[in-house]
Amino acid sequence: MQGEGRAIGGGRATGSMTGRLLVATPALKDPNFDRTVVLLVAHEPAGALGVVLNRATEVPVADVLGDWSDLAREPAVLFEGGPVQPDSAICVARLRHPTQRARGFQQVSGAVGTLDLSADPGPLRENFAGLRVFAGYSGWGSGQLEQEIEEGSWFVLDALPGDAFVDRPDDLWPMVLRRQGGMMAAVAHFPPDVALN
């Protein structure tokens, strides 16, 4: 699929991919990442870290982080960020204005970044348009993600500011693929189990 839109796949990725989406290809057989969309919140020579955007749980944010729950976008539940350290939490937030600065906010791309949940939410509420909380994360060691991309496990695509905050996260995988157009859009209709086709 190399060359479709702004996708990287089947070739060596160069430079930092922080802020981009990893979209699982049908060739990816790891059940942890089947039909997932991962936002890379960090990518450097030592490795990469991201959160799965489309795996909602049934645990309300209010049950875990009551003070922050009114800023959680619908569905206002915890998300499974990945298989690494599932007892830890990463918060992805969106500033109301991309030029704003806020205490505890680390920019990933544009108005989207990670937010330190140990801060007092009171004075910060007016700065953010919404947030999502992820239990655990997805991680790769040095060169591991690049190898998986080269093997055809992931499409690397541009993220839109609202991707981490969609109301229907289950629809994110086909939605991101369809907006690429061409052959990439056709992948969105790939059956979950080819044997059933």
Side-chain angles (χ1 to χ4, degrees):
M1 298 293 165
Q2 190 172 5
E4 282 291 320
R6 289 174 295 283
I8 299 172
R12 178 66 64 186
T14 58
S16 176
M17 294 182 281
T18 299
R20 300 195 73 199
L21 297 177
L22 297 177
V23 179
T25 71
L28 182 57
K29 300 302 181 199
D30 183 340
N32 288 311
F33 296 106
D34 183 44
R35 292 184 180 243
T36 57
V37 178
V38 176
L39 174 65
L40 281 176
V41 297
H43 178 242
E44 50 195 48
L49 185 144
V51 289
V52 175
L53 299 179
N54 57 333
R55 291 241 172 112
T57 71
E58 295 183 5
V59 179
V61 172
D63 287 1
V64 182
L65 296 164
D67 292 346
W68 289 99
S69 62
D70 60 330
L71 274 173
R73 294 294 302 263
E74 290 298 326
V77 295
L78 289 181
F79 280 69
E80 292 178 20
V84 182
Q85 294 187 4
D87 293 336
S88 66
I90 293 178
C91 177
V92 174
R94 185 176 182 184
L95 291 168
R96 292 189 189 279
H97 306 287
T99 56
Q100 267 184 316
R101 296 209 182 273
R103 173 182 251 161
F105 179 79
Q106 181 68 41
Q107 183 184 36
V108 170
S109 178
V112 176
T114 58
L115 181 62
D116 179 1
L117 290 170
S118 67
D120 176 10
L124 297 175
R125 289 184 202 283
E126 64 189 39
N127 295 334
F128 295 99
L131 59 82
R132 281 263 158 86
V133 180
F134 299 88
Y137 61 88
S138 306
W140 294 265
S142 178
Q144 185 183 3
L145 177 57
E146 290 80 357
Q147 182 177 345
E148 290 181 14
I149 293 167
E150 194 168 304
E151 291 169 351
S153 296
W154 299 101
F155 299 121
V156 182
L157 304 171
D158 291 340
L160 296 180
D163 284 342
F165 310 100
V166 293
D167 292 339
R168 297 177 53 155
D170 288 346
D171 295 339
L172 188 61
W173 188 80
M175 182 182 82
V176 170
L177 290 169
R178 278 195 299 267
R179 75 181 183 220
Q180 307 308 311
M183 288 298 293
M184 191 76 68
V187 175
H189 302 290
F190 200 84
D193 186 346
V194 181
L196 300 177
N197 193 11

